[in-house]
Amino acid sequence: MLKRPFVRALIFGAGTALVILIFYFRPWQPAAPPRPRDNGFNPAAFVGPAPKLDAPYVASSAEVVDAMLGLAALQPDDYVIDLGSGDGRILIAAARSNGAHGLGVDIDPARIAEADANASAAGVTGLVRFRREDLFQTPLGEADIVTLYLTQEVNLRLRRRILAEMRPGTRLVSNEFDMGDWRWDGRRRIGTANVYLWIVPARVAGNWTLIQNGRSVPLVLEQHYQQVTGTAGEARVEQGRLNGAAIRFIINLGDGRKVFEGRVLGDTIAPTDPNAGWRAVRAG
């Protein structure tokens, strides 16, 4: 019969051996990585918010793009500025079809990257460029054509700058949205879409002197976009209209109603016919 001390020693030894076996043959698990210390780094701070768009991005169809460029009478040497250029399709079409060059601006960097890639694929990177920019900050003075597909509100906000900065005779084309009380000079309907054209008028409002065959008459012109009214002495200026820098009006100076057709050249209005015997100069 086994003695109790021996039994206890035997049980203790067996238990120790079992613990050792479990330790050596248990499945291996990697140690948990140490928790990083909080150093104030916030990854979210490096992810910029989505840009605030002045107009939602909606691409013009190929048919509308062709109509816009056709209505603007695009020429190979024209410089086109596309405000809100999106994927670049208007400028790329202008470059590929007519060899025109231009600038597209958009506030969304994703659209700029897309437009650059599309221009590269079309082989026109030497003719067009795209820039991330607030369209209200884009200079317009060099443009021959400005194209828009924005909203009515944005068009109206741009209107004053367009009239002030764009040269007389340059063209403005908008897909779908007009310019309020500035009536369009041309319109084309493509399916359910309307495309509008405006010719930027010269600025003629103010005091002039009309000189005809040695006679000087005070000429006061009032202007509402391309419409012109006013007085020449006691006579009314009738049917006055501007088409860019070209001007036409009718006056009766006592010898019958006569048509005056000319061109605005800064502070001078020169007759279209150099033998017409009249001119007008800005007074003061």
Side-chain angles (χ1 to χ4, degrees):
M1 184 174 182
L2 298 176
K3 295 183 178 181
R4 285 185 178 178
F6 178 79
V7 172
R8 284 198 297 268
L10 184 61
I11 292 172
F12 176 78
T16 302
L18 180 60
V19 170
I20 293 172
L21 289 173
I22 292 173
F23 176 80
Y24 278 105
F25 292 99
R26 76 185 190 282
W28 180 83
Q29 293 181 346
R35 295 183 63 185
R37 291 181 299 171
D38 183 6
N39 58 4
F41 175 75
N42 179 11
F46 291 84
V47 180
K52 183 179 179 181
L53 304 179
D54 295 301
Y57 172 57
V58 181
S60 300
S61 69
E63 293 78 12
V64 168
V65 170
D66 288 344
M68 292 174 73
L69 298 178
L71 197 57
L74 177 72
Q75 301 298 314
D77 58 349
D78 280 335
Y79 181 62
V80 184
I81 295 180
D82 186 14
L83 299 179
S85 51
D87 63 6
R89 64 181 60 195
I90 292 177
L91 286 183
I92 291 170
R96 292 196 67 179
S97 63
N98 285 67
H101 59 292
L103 167 69
V105 299
D106 203 292
I107 198 66
D108 191 343
R111 299 281 78 80
I112 297 298
E114 184 179 12
D116 283 337
N118 290 341
S120 178
V124 294
T125 52
L127 294 173
V128 299
R129 58 194 176 98
F130 298 94
R131 184 167 74 206
R132 185 187 181 192
E133 186 171 77
D134 181 343
L135 58 84
F136 293 105
Q137 304 301 319
T138 303
L140 304 176
E142 295 183 2
D144 297 300
I145 298 172
V146 167
T147 57
L148 311 171
Y149 186 16
L150 300 169
T151 66
Q152 187 75 47
E153 178 188 359
V154 175
N155 279 13
L156 295 179
R157 289 175 62 190
L158 284 168
R159 186 175 64 188
R160 178 175 300 197
R161 286 191 56 229
I162 289 167
L163 289 165
E165 295 183 26
M166 291 182 67
R167 292 171 284 108
T170 54
R171 291 92 78 198
L172 173 69
V173 187
S174 175
N175 178 6
E176 200 58 47
F177 301 102
D178 63 22
M179 284 282 164
D181 63 345
W182 181 13
R183 183 169 174 78
W184 37 266
D185 293 292
R187 182 178 69 173
R188 186 172 297 173
R189 190 164 181 85
I190 307 298
T192 59
N194 285 303
V195 176
Y196 299 97
L197 167 73
W198 295 265
I199 308 296
V200 176
R203 292 171 283 280
V204 299
N207 297 324
W208 299 75
T209 300
L210 177 63
I211 304 168
Q212 183 184 33
N213 300 323
R215 175 188 177 190
S216 296
V217 178
L219 176 65
V220 180
L221 297 180
E222 299 175 3
Q223 179 176 359
H224 184 70
Y225 306 113
Q226 62 270 65
Q227 305 297 324
V228 178
T229 58
T231 59
E234 299 297 322
R236 290 188 303 113
V237 174
E238 304 176 46
Q239 300 181 29
R241 184 173 179 84
L242 286 156
N243 183 5
I247 188 169
R248 181 185 187 277
F249 53 88
I250 297 174
I251 304 176
N252 185 348
L253 293 175
D255 52 356
R257 299 171 75 246
K258 291 187 177 180
V259 176
F260 292 78
E261 291 183 297
R263 188 168 187 84
V264 182
L265 304 170
D267 291 333
T268 301
I269 302 176
T272 304
D273 179 0
N275 299 315
W278 70 271
R279 64 189 174 93
V281 294
R282 200 180 289 273

